[in-house]
Each structure stands twice: as structure tokens, then as C-alpha cells.
């Protein structure tokens, strides 16, 4: 439950980013694109230094959050974003993820900066779609990636062997 924020808040922020560093993945590049969108008038927040609950509440207030690889080929931000009913733009993982979210249904994947900018502009013009992906992502995480569902998944593998 610690990953789920306050769902009573209204969505106010178009895009939220919260990177500890911007040297890996496409973090620098997508942050640059988001800053360009901010200069075009979109409500873009780049946050740092919040306590965890404040961070989750900021996610909950956002239509779109951006996740890009950190020290590895995936990032916890993807799961936190989906758990907070935010449409998560995620740099496409190249690792195997069990019960992987579906692109365009639970999250929005990108592999290049051109793809990121094209997709984010499309979704910024369709906030209802962002809200739907945020809700579907939330339900996906709740049904497939919390403790009880992960244990059930592992036990099914053990029992089928």
C-alpha cells in the first residue's frame, strides 16, 4: 500500500518528471523535450527532494509521468506511476518482465526521442486517453504486481513443475 497515493486529488499537471540523475537511459533527452513543451505552455513539473508521500501525491495529480532507465534497464518509477493512476511514458524495457504491462493499454512505451515526442504530443491532446491508461495501469498493478498476486504467480510456477 505504500506505493499508492491520494486518489482524491484532481489532475492538474500535464507532465511530471522526477529523475535522481539524467546521465543514463534517455533521461536527459526526454527531460529536454519536456522543457520544450513547458516553454510551449504545457504544465510540466520536474520535481526533486520531496518526501515519498509528497512525491506520490504529485504523481497522482499528473496526467503523464515519464520513466526512463536509471542504473538498470528498468525503473521503479514505472510501477509507482501506474500505482497512482498516472499515464506512464516508459522507456521500453529490454529485460523480461513477468506479467508485462501492455503498451497503449497500461502504459505508453517509447524507444527513441522521436517516438517519445510524437507520442507525448498525441497524448497531451487526449487527456481522456491519459486518464483511461492511468486507470487501466492502476488496475493492472493492483491485480498483478502487489504481494499477494506475486506470491500466487510464484506458487503457480512451482506447482506446475
Amino acid at each position: 500500500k505504500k506505493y499508492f497515493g491520494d486518489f482524491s486529488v484532481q489532475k492538474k499537471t500535464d507532465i511530471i518528471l522526477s529523475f535522481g540523475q539524467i546521465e543514463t537511459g534517455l533521461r536527459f533527452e526526454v527531460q529536454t523535450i519536456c522543457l520544450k513543451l513547458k516553454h510551449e505552455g504545457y504544465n510540466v513539473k520536474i520535481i526533486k527532494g520531496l518526501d515519498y508521500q509528497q512525491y506520490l501525491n504529485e504523481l497522482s495529480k499528473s496526467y503523464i509521468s515519464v520513466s526512463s532507465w536509471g542504473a538498470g534497464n528498468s525503473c521503479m518509477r514505472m510501477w509507482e506511476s501506474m500505482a497512482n493512476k498516472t499515464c506512464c511514458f516508459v522507456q521500453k524495457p529490454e529485460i523480461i518482465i513477468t506479467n508485462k504491462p501492455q503498451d497503449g493499454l497500461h502504459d505508453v512505451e517509447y524507444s527513441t526521442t522521436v517516438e517519445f515526442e510524437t507520442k507525448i504530443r498525441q497524448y497531451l491532446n487526449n487527456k481522456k486517453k491519459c486518464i483511461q491508461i492511468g486507470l487501466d495501469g492502476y488496475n493492472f498493478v493492483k491485480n498483478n504486481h502487489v504481494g499477494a498476486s506475486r506470491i500466487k504467480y510464484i506458487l503457480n510456477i512451482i506447482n506446475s513443475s
Side-chain angles (χ1 to χ4, degrees):
K1 290 186 175 186
K2 81 174 192 172
Y3 300 109
F4 297 86
D6 181 4
F7 300 129
S8 66
V9 297
Q10 293 290 321
K11 301 247 182 241
K12 297 176 184 175
T13 305
D14 293 320
I15 305 167
I16 192 165
L17 296 96
S18 178
F19 299 140
Q21 51 81 16
I22 57 170
E23 287 81 35
T24 58
L26 293 173
R27 289 179 174 195
F28 176 79
E29 294 85 348
V30 299
Q31 182 169 302
T32 300
I33 291 167
C34 290
L35 287 171
K36 180 168 89 172
L37 291 166
K38 182 175 185 171
H39 291 304
E40 292 175 16
Y42 290 100
N43 184 359
V44 177
K45 283 189 178 181
I46 299 174
I47 58 171
K48 287 186 178 186
L50 301 179
D51 71 38
Y52 195 65
Q53 196 58 51
Q54 290 175 313
Y55 162 70
L56 294 180
N57 287 339
E58 288 297 324
L59 280 177
S60 295
K61 291 185 220 175
S62 304
Y63 288 98
I64 296 172
S65 64
V66 180
S67 178
S68 187
W69 302 347
N73 188 254
S74 184
C75 183
M76 183 65 183
R77 191 165 295 100
M78 174 180 80
W79 304 107
E80 293 167 338
S81 296
M82 288 191 295
N84 284 279
K85 298 184 181 178
T86 301
C87 177
C88 183
F89 272 59
V90 60
Q91 185 176 353
K92 185 176 181 177
E94 295 176 348
I95 59 174
I96 296 171
I97 298 175
T98 57
N99 292 323
K100 186 179 180 297
Q102 291 180 32
D103 180 27
L105 179 63
H106 307 118
D107 62 13
V108 178
E109 294 180 350
Y110 63 93
S111 297
T112 67
T113 54
V114 171
E115 183 180 23
F116 175 82
E117 185 167 5
T118 300
K119 285 184 173 183
I120 203 158
R121 287 183 181 281
Q122 289 171 350
Y123 281 85
L124 284 168
N125 290 319
N126 192 347
K127 302 270 178 70
K128 287 183 182 181
K129 182 71 173 165
C130 291
I131 290 169
Q132 187 60 54
I133 289 175
L135 181 59
D136 291 342
Y138 164 79
N139 287 324
F140 179 79
V141 167
K142 188 173 72 169
N143 293 330
N144 296 289
H145 290 281
V146 293
S149 60
R150 300 301 296 148
I151 291 169
K152 183 178 176 182
Y153 174 81
I154 292 167
L155 289 174
N156 284 340
I157 290 174
I158 291 169
N159 292 332
S160 66
S161 299

